[in-house]
Amino acid sequence: MRIALFATCIVDAMYPATARATVKILERLGHEVVFPSGQACCGQMHVNSGYIKEAVPVIANHVNSFDTEDYDVAIAPSGSCVASVKHQHPMVARACGDKDLEARATAVGAKTYELSELLVDVLGVTDAGAQLGSYFPHRVTYHPSCHGMRLLRLGDRQSRLLATVQGIDMAELPEADQCCGFGGTFSMKNADVSSAMLEDKTANIASTGASLCAGGDASCLMHIGGGLSRQGSDVATLHLAEILASTVEEPAAVSGDVLVSIGKATR
């Protein structure tokens, strides 16, 4: 297949190793990955904050970038951004009376998948160790992000893939379905509530004895990782894609607060 990568803002700006890992996984399966160069923000923050009119040109840019590219499906390592493309983009266009944009946004959304959704539902990956060569010998707990869980209804796709990685020791996270408190601008507008929610999340992570918390959204992992760091915790956070891309020959090694990920060192 010819697969278009939707990198998302936060991955592009702060976690490029996650995008590289996503490409490695797809190429390992024999697919061609292309990168629509006009892509930028999907407009999720604008919509979530109520700036509907201001979101229209941002959404239009995303649609223009992807519906003019030749590809079979698009993929993003983010449940929240895919949820925005699938649900918010047509909704905003409809609310603004732009029927053409609505139709194009709906078509782009129909071809856009979150990473685990594409791997499991379209590409038939059920055993990461056997089919991807994934190897990650660490005790890991897993946080399912809200949009992926509630809007995309990803269910246990991510956790099932993680459980099949060679060498991994999965520890169940108590109250895993509870929000970490990030919520984009929510964490700034409601900082006290957000911090309280984060404290609950980090306490539950600590109770598992895991050395790492995995997830499918870089934004949530950034929020959780920041909380753990401020508490002086040795627990790191890492995106699902980087664990799936890790192999015996090219491991993603975890050491303190340093992640040597897919051959690159990041802090």
Side-chain angles (χ1 to χ4, degrees), residues 51-264:
Y51 295 102
I52 304 301
K53 290 183 179 179
E54 291 81 356
V56 173
V58 183
I59 290 171
N61 178 75
H62 183 88
V63 172
N64 291 337
S65 297
F66 279 84
D67 77 351
T68 56
E69 185 76 39
D70 178 25
Y71 63 93
D72 298 303
V73 293
I75 187 175
S78 167
S80 64
C81 294
V82 171
S84 179
V85 169
K86 283 184 171 294
H87 298 279
Q88 291 182 338
H89 286 193
M91 176 191 73
V92 169
R94 184 165 54 252
C96 295
D98 192 331
K99 293 183 178 180
D100 177 66
L101 181 60
E102 180 185 357
R104 294 167 61 212
T106 299
V108 169
K111 294 173 65 176
T112 305
Y113 294 82
E114 180 272 337
L115 175 59
S116 70
E117 185 181 33
L118 182 73
L119 289 175
V120 174
D121 295 356
V122 180
L123 303 182
V125 177
T126 57
D127 189 325
Q131 293 170 272
L132 300 176
S134 307
Y135 175 74
F136 195 76
H138 301 281
R139 184 170 175 81
V140 175
T141 193
Y142 161 74
H143 165 70
S145 296
C146 294
H147 285 134
M149 184 169 49
R150 296 182 171 90
L151 267 178
L152 291 185
R153 301 186 183 279
L154 293 177
D156 62 354
R157 289 175 180 83
Q158 293 181 348
S159 58
R160 276 191 286 135
L161 285 173
L162 284 172
T164 62
V165 171
Q166 296 178 53
I168 201 166
D169 176 16
M170 290 295 295
E172 185 175 353
L173 180 64
E175 299 180 324
D177 63 347
Q178 299 302 302
C179 178
C180 69
F182 178 61
T185 55
F186 171 83
S187 61
M188 292 180 281
K189 293 179 178 179
N190 301 277
D192 291 342
V193 177
S194 173
S195 295
M197 295 168 74
L198 179 60
E199 287 180 12
D200 289 343
K201 182 62 65 174
T202 55
N204 283 327
I205 290 170
S207 74
T208 68
S211 61
L212 184 141
C213 177
D217 274 88
S219 53
C220 297
L221 293 174
M222 177 184 69
H223 186 61
I224 294 169
L228 291 167
S229 178
R230 289 189 295 275
Q231 294 168 11
S233 172
D234 290 331
V235 180
T237 58
L238 193 63
H239 195 282
L240 165 78
E242 298 188 57
I243 295 177
L244 295 179
S246 178
T247 63
V248 173
E249 298 77 17
E250 198 173 6
V254 182
S255 176
D257 68 340
V258 178
L259 304 179
V260 184
S261 178
I262 317 304
K264 303 289 183 179

